[in-house]
Amino acid sequence: MNLVEATLDADQIAFGQFRVALHPDRRPASHIDRVVLGIRPEAFNDADHARPHLPRIEVTVDVLEELGSDAFVFFHVAAPRVTIESRVAAQDEATLLVEEDSFFTARVEAMTSAQAGAALELAVDPYKFHFFDPQTGESLLPNGR
């Protein structure tokens, strides 16, 4: 799962250079403004092969891995990555851990036009977003959905 620090702002979530509308039926409580956002690779698709109503983000493809039945697109997000190590280090006052940008994975249709080094418009399904408490790692969705 791609994990990144994010900010909730009304009906949108901001992570790195991206801002995406939230799905009205799948979001944390309205009083929460900072989360760890989790997006599985299958929540993305090449916009040319996705449902037209889904939000879009434009990425630069760093790596393209073609697997036959689908392809993986790897791209950078200008936000600190979240790992178990970074959560543990944040609790240890004696340790400063500098995080790099996040490296996301998107699973797209095999017939994608993606090329390494080129721009690609990805559709992302906000219904498939996961939200976690930055301090505890617990799900912020009702019943942990």
Side-chain angles (χ1 to χ4, degrees):
M1 182 178 296
N2 302 297
L3 296 170
V4 67
E5 292 182 6
T7 304
L8 294 166
D9 181 17
D11 293 337
Q12 297 188 332
I13 189 159
F15 58 103
Q17 67 273 37
F18 305 115
R19 191 174 202 71
V20 176
L22 292 167
H23 191 282
D25 297 331
R26 191 171 170 92
R27 63 177 68 200
S30 60
H31 70 279
I32 297 172
D33 61 351
R34 288 186 55 245
V35 299
V36 171
L37 173 64
I39 308 176
R40 294 190 187 283
E42 58 270 18
F44 294 99
N45 202 355
D46 184 322
D48 289 341
H49 305 283
R51 294 176 287 172
H53 71 280
L54 291 176
R56 271 53 175 159
I57 61 173
E58 184 156 322
V59 304
T60 299
V61 178
D62 291 306
V63 177
L64 176 65
E65 185 177 355
E66 297 175 281
L67 302 173
S69 60
D70 51 14
F72 286 103
V73 170
F74 299 89
F75 61 97
H76 277 91
V77 175
R81 66 184 163 169
V82 176
T83 63
I84 291 173
E85 292 82 13
S86 67
R87 295 290 107 197
V88 170
Q91 295 172 2
D92 182 1
E93 294 177 343
T95 303
L96 292 177
L97 184 62
V98 177
E99 294 293 332
E100 301 172 9
D101 286 353
S102 299
F103 200 51
F104 268 38
T105 305
R107 189 175 80 192
V108 301
E109 298 287 331
M111 56 191 139
T112 184
S113 61
Q115 295 181 353
L120 177 68
E121 187 176 43
L122 289 174
V124 60
D125 187 348
Y127 188 79
K128 296 180 179 178
F129 287 178
H130 299 271
F131 306 95
F132 303 99
D133 182 293
Q135 301 304 315
T136 67
E138 296 292 321
S139 175
L140 295 172
L141 293 173
N143 302 324
R145 312 186 280 168

mmCIF file with all atom_site columns, all heavy atoms in Angstrom, residues 1-19:
data_model
loop_
_atom_site.group_PDB
_atom_site.id
_atom_site.type_symbol
_atom_site.label_atom_id
_atom_site.label_alt_id
_atom_site.label_comp_id
_atom_site.label_asym_id
_atom_site.label_entity_id
_atom_site.label_seq_id
_atom_site.pdbx_PDB_ins_code
_atom_site.Cartn_x
_atom_site.Cartn_y
_atom_site.Cartn_z
_atom_site.occupancy
_atom_site.B_iso_or_equiv
_atom_site.pdbx_formal_charge
_atom_site.auth_seq_id
_atom_site.auth_comp_id
_atom_site.auth_asym_id
_atom_site.auth_atom_id
_atom_site.pdbx_PDB_model_num
ATOM 1   N N   . MET A 1 1  ? 0.852   -1.177 0.000  1.00 0.00 ? 1  MET A N   1
ATOM 2   C CA  . MET A 1 1  ? 0.000   0.000  0.000  1.00 0.00 ? 1  MET A CA  1
ATOM 3   C C   . MET A 1 1  ? 0.891   1.230  0.000  1.00 0.00 ? 1  MET A C   1
ATOM 4   O O   . MET A 1 1  ? 1.905   1.275  0.685  1.00 0.00 ? 1  MET A O   1
ATOM 5   C CB  . MET A 1 1  ? -0.905  -0.004 1.232  1.00 0.00 ? 1  MET A CB  1
ATOM 6   C CG  . MET A 1 1  ? -1.859  1.186  1.253  1.00 0.00 ? 1  MET A CG  1
ATOM 7   S SD  . MET A 1 1  ? -3.022  1.261  2.647  1.00 0.00 ? 1  MET A SD  1
ATOM 8   C CE  . MET A 1 1  ? -3.992  -0.186 2.382  1.00 0.00 ? 1  MET A CE  1
ATOM 9   N N   . ASN A 1 2  ? 0.514   2.228  -0.795 1.00 0.00 ? 2  ASN A N   1
ATOM 10  C CA  . ASN A 1 2  ? 1.195   3.514  -0.794 1.00 0.00 ? 2  ASN A CA  1
ATOM 11  C C   . ASN A 1 2  ? 0.719   4.282  0.435  1.00 0.00 ? 2  ASN A C   1
ATOM 12  O O   . ASN A 1 2  ? -0.482  4.452  0.624  1.00 0.00 ? 2  ASN A O   1
ATOM 13  C CB  . ASN A 1 2  ? 0.822   4.300  -2.053 1.00 0.00 ? 2  ASN A CB  1
ATOM 14  C CG  . ASN A 1 2  ? 1.155   3.559  -3.334 1.00 0.00 ? 2  ASN A CG  1
ATOM 15  O OD1 . ASN A 1 2  ? 2.310   3.280  -3.599 1.00 0.00 ? 2  ASN A OD1 1
ATOM 16  N ND2 . ASN A 1 2  ? 0.142   3.230  -4.119 1.00 0.00 ? 2  ASN A ND2 1
ATOM 17  N N   . LEU A 1 3  ? 1.649   4.737  1.271  1.00 0.00 ? 3  LEU A N   1
ATOM 18  C CA  . LEU A 1 3  ? 1.305   5.480  2.482  1.00 0.00 ? 3  LEU A CA  1
ATOM 19  C C   . LEU A 1 3  ? 2.004   6.831  2.465  1.00 0.00 ? 3  LEU A C   1
ATOM 20  O O   . LEU A 1 3  ? 3.205   6.907  2.193  1.00 0.00 ? 3  LEU A O   1
ATOM 21  C CB  . LEU A 1 3  ? 1.731   4.706  3.726  1.00 0.00 ? 3  LEU A CB  1
ATOM 22  C CG  . LEU A 1 3  ? 1.042   3.364  3.966  1.00 0.00 ? 3  LEU A CG  1
ATOM 23  C CD1 . LEU A 1 3  ? 1.738   2.608  5.082  1.00 0.00 ? 3  LEU A CD1 1
ATOM 24  C CD2 . LEU A 1 3  ? -0.431  3.568  4.283  1.00 0.00 ? 3  LEU A CD2 1
ATOM 25  N N   . VAL A 1 4  ? 1.242   7.886  2.788  1.00 0.00 ? 4  VAL A N   1
ATOM 26  C CA  . VAL A 1 4  ? 1.799   9.229  2.752  1.00 0.00 ? 4  VAL A CA  1
ATOM 27  C C   . VAL A 1 4  ? 1.046   10.117 3.740  1.00 0.00 ? 4  VAL A C   1
ATOM 28  O O   . VAL A 1 4  ? -0.141  9.904  4.007  1.00 0.00 ? 4  VAL A O   1
ATOM 29  C CB  . VAL A 1 4  ? 1.712   9.805  1.310  1.00 0.00 ? 4  VAL A CB  1
ATOM 30  C CG1 . VAL A 1 4  ? 0.282   10.049 0.886  1.00 0.00 ? 4  VAL A CG1 1
ATOM 31  C CG2 . VAL A 1 4  ? 2.544   11.048 1.140  1.00 0.00 ? 4  VAL A CG2 1
ATOM 32  N N   . GLU A 1 5  ? 1.750   11.094 4.292  1.00 0.00 ? 5  GLU A N   1
ATOM 33  C CA  . GLU A 1 5  ? 1.087   12.080 5.145  1.00 0.00 ? 5  GLU A CA  1
ATOM 34  C C   . GLU A 1 5  ? 0.203   12.951 4.276  1.00 0.00 ? 5  GLU A C   1
ATOM 35  O O   . GLU A 1 5  ? 0.576   13.322 3.158  1.00 0.00 ? 5  GLU A O   1
ATOM 36  C CB  . GLU A 1 5  ? 2.119   12.925 5.874  1.00 0.00 ? 5  GLU A CB  1
ATOM 37  C CG  . GLU A 1 5  ? 2.899   12.131 6.893  1.00 0.00 ? 5  GLU A CG  1
ATOM 38  C CD  . GLU A 1 5  ? 3.902   12.965 7.673  1.00 0.00 ? 5  GLU A CD  1
ATOM 39  O OE1 . GLU A 1 5  ? 3.932   14.201 7.506  1.00 0.00 ? 5  GLU A OE1 1
ATOM 40  O OE2 . GLU A 1 5  ? 4.654   12.368 8.443  1.00 0.00 ? 5  GLU A OE2 1
ATOM 41  N N   . ALA A 1 6  ? -0.985  13.275 4.791  1.00 0.00 ? 6  ALA A N   1
ATOM 42  C CA  . ALA A 1 6  ? -1.946  14.050 4.008  1.00 0.00 ? 6  ALA A CA  1
ATOM 43  C C   . ALA A 1 6  ? -2.754  14.964 4.924  1.00 0.00 ? 6  ALA A C   1
ATOM 44  O O   . ALA A 1 6  ? -2.824  14.756 6.133  1.00 0.00 ? 6  ALA A O   1
ATOM 45  C CB  . ALA A 1 6  ? -2.884  13.113 3.245  1.00 0.00 ? 6  ALA A CB  1
ATOM 46  N N   . THR A 1 7  ? -3.385  15.958 4.285  1.00 0.00 ? 7  THR A N   1
ATOM 47  C CA  . THR A 1 7  ? -4.212  16.919 4.998  1.00 0.00 ? 7  THR A CA  1
ATOM 48  C C   . THR A 1 7  ? -5.605  16.908 4.409  1.00 0.00 ? 7  THR A C   1
ATOM 49  O O   . THR A 1 7  ? -5.776  16.989 3.186  1.00 0.00 ? 7  THR A O   1
ATOM 50  C CB  . THR A 1 7  ? -3.614  18.342 4.859  1.00 0.00 ? 7  THR A CB  1
ATOM 51  O OG1 . THR A 1 7  ? -2.274  18.307 5.324  1.00 0.00 ? 7  THR A OG1 1
ATOM 52  C CG2 . THR A 1 7  ? -4.409  19.341 5.673  1.00 0.00 ? 7  THR A CG2 1
ATOM 53  N N   . LEU A 1 8  ? -6.604  16.820 5.292  1.00 0.00 ? 8  LEU A N   1
ATOM 54  C CA  . LEU A 1 8  ? -7.996  16.897 4.865  1.00 0.00 ? 8  LEU A CA  1
ATOM 55  C C   . LEU A 1 8  ? -8.429  18.359 4.910  1.00 0.00 ? 8  LEU A C   1
ATOM 56  O O   . LEU A 1 8  ? -8.160  19.067 5.873  1.00 0.00 ? 8  LEU A O   1
ATOM 57  C CB  . LEU A 1 8  ? -8.890  16.070 5.785  1.00 0.00 ? 8  LEU A CB  1
ATOM 58  C CG  . LEU A 1 8  ? -8.637  14.572 5.732  1.00 0.00 ? 8  LEU A CG  1
ATOM 59  C CD1 . LEU A 1 8  ? -9.311  13.884 6.910  1.00 0.00 ? 8  LEU A CD1 1
ATOM 60  C CD2 . LEU A 1 8  ? -9.141  13.999 4.436  1.00 0.00 ? 8  LEU A CD2 1
ATOM 61  N N   . ASP A 1 9  ? -9.100  18.781 3.851  1.00 0.00 ? 9  ASP A N   1
ATOM 62  C CA  . ASP A 1 9  ? -9.575  20.162 3.766  1.00 0.00 ? 9  ASP A CA  1
ATOM 63  C C   . ASP A 1 9  ? -10.964 20.135 3.145  1.00 0.00 ? 9  ASP A C   1
ATOM 64  O O   . ASP A 1 9  ? -11.099 19.978 1.922  1.00 0.00 ? 9  ASP A O   1
ATOM 65  C CB  . ASP A 1 9  ? -8.615  21.002 2.920  1.00 0.00 ? 9  ASP A CB  1
ATOM 66  C CG  . ASP A 1 9  ? -9.026  22.452 2.816  1.00 0.00 ? 9  ASP A CG  1
ATOM 67  O OD1 . ASP A 1 9  ? -9.845  22.898 3.635  1.00 0.00 ? 9  ASP A OD1 1
ATOM 68  O OD2 . ASP A 1 9  ? -8.528  23.132 1.900  1.00 0.00 ? 9  ASP A OD2 1
ATOM 69  N N   . ALA A 1 10 ? -11.989 20.236 3.991  1.00 0.00 ? 10 ALA A N   1
ATOM 70  C CA  . ALA A 1 10 ? -13.390 20.174 3.557  1.00 0.00 ? 10 ALA A CA  1
ATOM 71  C C   . ALA A 1 10 ? -13.628 18.858 2.826  1.00 0.00 ? 10 ALA A C   1
ATOM 72  O O   . ALA A 1 10 ? -13.509 17.796 3.412  1.00 0.00 ? 10 ALA A O   1
ATOM 73  C CB  . ALA A 1 10 ? -13.754 21.383 2.717  1.00 0.00 ? 10 ALA A CB  1
ATOM 74  N N   . ASP A 1 11 ? -13.911 18.903 1.533  1.00 0.00 ? 11 ASP A N   1
ATOM 75  C CA  . ASP A 1 11 ? -14.229 17.712 0.761  1.00 0.00 ? 11 ASP A CA  1
ATOM 76  C C   . ASP A 1 11 ? -13.055 17.205 -0.070 1.00 0.00 ? 11 ASP A C   1
ATOM 77  O O   . ASP A 1 11 ? -13.251 16.445 -1.013 1.00 0.00 ? 11 ASP A O   1
ATOM 78  C CB  . ASP A 1 11 ? -15.416 17.996 -0.166 1.00 0.00 ? 11 ASP A CB  1
ATOM 79  C CG  . ASP A 1 11 ? -16.696 18.226 0.615  1.00 0.00 ? 11 ASP A CG  1
ATOM 80  O OD1 . ASP A 1 11 ? -16.784 17.762 1.766  1.00 0.00 ? 11 ASP A OD1 1
ATOM 81  O OD2 . ASP A 1 11 ? -17.597 18.868 0.077  1.00 0.00 ? 11 ASP A OD2 1
ATOM 82  N N   . GLN A 1 12 ? -11.847 17.633 0.283  1.00 0.00 ? 12 GLN A N   1
ATOM 83  C CA  . GLN A 1 12 ? -10.676 17.222 -0.485 1.00 0.00 ? 12 GLN A CA  1
ATOM 84  C C   . GLN A 1 12 ? -9.570  16.734 0.440  1.00 0.00 ? 12 GLN A C   1
ATOM 85  O O   . GLN A 1 12 ? -9.548  17.047 1.625  1.00 0.00 ? 12 GLN A O   1
ATOM 86  C CB  . GLN A 1 12 ? -10.151 18.385 -1.319 1.00 0.00 ? 12 GLN A CB  1
ATOM 87  C CG  . GLN A 1 12 ? -11.128 18.864 -2.364 1.00 0.00 ? 12 GLN A CG  1
ATOM 88  C CD  . GLN A 1 12 ? -10.497 19.891 -3.287 1.00 0.00 ? 12 GLN A CD  1
ATOM 89  O OE1 . GLN A 1 12 ? -9.588  20.610 -2.901 1.00 0.00 ? 12 GLN A OE1 1
ATOM 90  N NE2 . GLN A 1 12 ? -10.979 19.930 -4.512 1.00 0.00 ? 12 GLN A NE2 1
ATOM 91  N N   . ILE A 1 13 ? -8.658  15.977 -0.157 1.00 0.00 ? 13 ILE A N   1
ATOM 92  C CA  . ILE A 1 13 ? -7.457  15.557 0.560  1.00 0.00 ? 13 ILE A CA  1
ATOM 93  C C   . ILE A 1 13 ? -6.252  16.010 -0.248 1.00 0.00 ? 13 ILE A C   1
ATOM 94  O O   . ILE A 1 13 ? -6.237  15.910 -1.480 1.00 0.00 ? 13 ILE A O   1
ATOM 95  C CB  . ILE A 1 13 ? -7.434  14.033 0.816  1.00 0.00 ? 13 ILE A CB  1
ATOM 96  C CG1 . ILE A 1 13 ? -6.285  13.678 1.764  1.00 0.00 ? 13 ILE A CG1 1
ATOM 97  C CG2 . ILE A 1 13 ? -7.390  13.228 -0.477 1.00 0.00 ? 13 ILE A CG2 1
ATOM 98  C CD1 . ILE A 1 13 ? -6.448  12.365 2.467  1.00 0.00 ? 13 ILE A CD1 1
ATOM 99  N N   . ALA A 1 14 ? -5.265  16.567 0.444  1.00 0.00 ? 14 ALA A N   1
ATOM 100 C CA  . ALA A 1 14 ? -4.044  17.038 -0.204 1.00 0.00 ? 14 ALA A CA  1
ATOM 101 C C   . ALA A 1 14 ? -2.881  16.173 0.273  1.00 0.00 ? 14 ALA A C   1
ATOM 102 O O   . ALA A 1 14 ? -2.703  15.963 1.474  1.00 0.00 ? 14 ALA A O   1
ATOM 103 C CB  . ALA A 1 14 ? -3.792  18.496 0.139  1.00 0.00 ? 14 ALA A CB  1
ATOM 104 N N   . PHE A 1 15 ? -2.124  15.664 -0.679 1.00 0.00 ? 15 PHE A N   1
ATOM 105 C CA  . PHE A 1 15 ? -0.912  14.892 -0.380 1.00 0.00 ? 15 PHE A CA  1
ATOM 106 C C   . PHE A 1 15 ? 0.116   15.252 -1.426 1.00 0.00 ? 15 PHE A C   1
ATOM 107 O O   . PHE A 1 15 ? -0.115  15.158 -2.617 1.00 0.00 ? 15 PHE A O   1
ATOM 108 C CB  . PHE A 1 15 ? -1.181  13.392 -0.305 1.00 0.00 ? 15 PHE A CB  1
ATOM 109 C CG  . PHE A 1 15 ? -1.777  12.775 -1.547 1.00 0.00 ? 15 PHE A CG  1
ATOM 110 C CD1 . PHE A 1 15 ? -0.991  12.025 -2.413 1.00 0.00 ? 15 PHE A CD1 1
ATOM 111 C CD2 . PHE A 1 15 ? -3.114  12.948 -1.853 1.00 0.00 ? 15 PHE A CD2 1
ATOM 112 C CE1 . PHE A 1 15 ? -1.534  11.454 -3.558 1.00 0.00 ? 15 PHE A CE1 1
ATOM 113 C CE2 . PHE A 1 15 ? -3.671  12.373 -2.994 1.00 0.00 ? 15 PHE A CE2 1
ATOM 114 C CZ  . PHE A 1 15 ? -2.884  11.625 -3.840 1.00 0.00 ? 15 PHE A CZ  1
ATOM 115 N N   . GLY A 1 16 ? 1.265   15.731 -0.943 1.00 0.00 ? 16 GLY A N   1
ATOM 116 C CA  . GLY A 1 16 ? 2.297   16.182 -1.873 1.00 0.00 ? 16 GLY A CA  1
ATOM 117 C C   . GLY A 1 16 ? 1.763   17.250 -2.794 1.00 0.00 ? 16 GLY A C   1
ATOM 118 O O   . GLY A 1 16 ? 1.093   18.187 -2.361 1.00 0.00 ? 16 GLY A O   1
ATOM 119 N N   . GLN A 1 17 ? 1.995   17.091 -4.072 1.00 0.00 ? 17 GLN A N   1
ATOM 120 C CA  . GLN A 1 17 ? 1.565   18.059 -5.077 1.00 0.00 ? 17 GLN A CA  1
ATOM 121 C C   . GLN A 1 17 ? 0.132   17.814 -5.559 1.00 0.00 ? 17 GLN A C   1
ATOM 122 O O   . GLN A 1 17 ? -0.352  18.515 -6.451 1.00 0.00 ? 17 GLN A O   1
ATOM 123 C CB  . GLN A 1 17 ? 2.534   18.064 -6.263 1.00 0.00 ? 17 GLN A CB  1
ATOM 124 C CG  . GLN A 1 17 ? 2.567   16.790 -7.095 1.00 0.00 ? 17 GLN A CG  1
ATOM 125 C CD  . GLN A 1 17 ? 3.511   15.710 -6.600 1.00 0.00 ? 17 GLN A CD  1
ATOM 126 O OE1 . GLN A 1 17 ? 3.685   15.503 -5.409 1.00 0.00 ? 17 GLN A OE1 1
ATOM 127 N NE2 . GLN A 1 17 ? 4.118   14.984 -7.545 1.00 0.00 ? 17 GLN A NE2 1
ATOM 128 N N   . PHE A 1 18 ? -0.561  16.856 -4.975 1.00 0.00 ? 18 PHE A N   1
ATOM 129 C CA  . PHE A 1 18 ? -1.887  16.466 -5.461 1.00 0.00 ? 18 PHE A CA  1
ATOM 130 C C   . PHE A 1 18 ? -2.992  16.868 -4.490 1.00 0.00 ? 18 PHE A C   1
ATOM 131 O O   . PHE A 1 18 ? -2.805  16.900 -3.284 1.00 0.00 ? 18 PHE A O   1
ATOM 132 C CB  . PHE A 1 18 ? -1.945  14.950 -5.689 1.00 0.00 ? 18 PHE A CB  1
ATOM 133 C CG  . PHE A 1 18 ? -0.871  14.451 -6.605 1.00 0.00 ? 18 PHE A CG  1
ATOM 134 C CD1 . PHE A 1 18 ? 0.105   13.597 -6.147 1.00 0.00 ? 18 PHE A CD1 1
ATOM 135 C CD2 . PHE A 1 18 ? -0.826  14.860 -7.926 1.00 0.00 ? 18 PHE A CD2 1
ATOM 136 C CE1 . PHE A 1 18 ? 1.110   13.141 -6.983 1.00 0.00 ? 18 PHE A CE1 1
ATOM 137 C CE2 . PHE A 1 18 ? 0.170   14.409 -8.779 1.00 0.00 ? 18 PHE A CE2 1
ATOM 138 C CZ  . PHE A 1 18 ? 1.147   13.553 -8.302 1.00 0.00 ? 18 PHE A CZ  1
ATOM 139 N N   . ARG A 1 19 ? -4.155  17.134 -5.060 1.00 0.00 ? 19 ARG A N   1
ATOM 140 C CA  . ARG A 1 19 ? -5.366  17.456 -4.311 1.00 0.00 ? 19 ARG A CA  1
ATOM 141 C C   . ARG A 1 19 ? -6.498  16.697 -4.997 1.00 0.00 ? 19 ARG A C   1
ATOM 142 O O   . ARG A 1 19 ? -6.718  16.859 -6.191 1.00 0.00 ? 19 ARG A O   1
ATOM 143 C CB  . ARG A 1 19 ? -5.601  18.960 -4.352 1.00 0.00 ? 19 ARG A CB  1
ATOM 144 C CG  . ARG A 1 19 ? -6.653  19.464 -3.434 1.00 0.00 ? 19 ARG A CG  1
ATOM 145 C CD  . ARG A 1 19 ? -6.651  21.011 -3.498 1.00 0.00 ? 19 ARG A CD  1
ATOM 146 N NE  . ARG A 1 19 ? -7.221  21.624 -2.352 1.00 0.00 ? 19 ARG A NE  1
ATOM 147 C CZ  . ARG A 1 19 ? -6.706  21.668 -1.136 1.00 0.00 ? 19 ARG A CZ  1
ATOM 148 N NH1 . ARG A 1 19 ? -5.554  21.109 -0.905 1.00 0.00 ? 19 ARG A NH1 1
ATOM 149 N NH2 . ARG A 1 19 ? -7.326  22.254 -0.152 1.00 0.00 ? 19 ARG A NH2 1
#
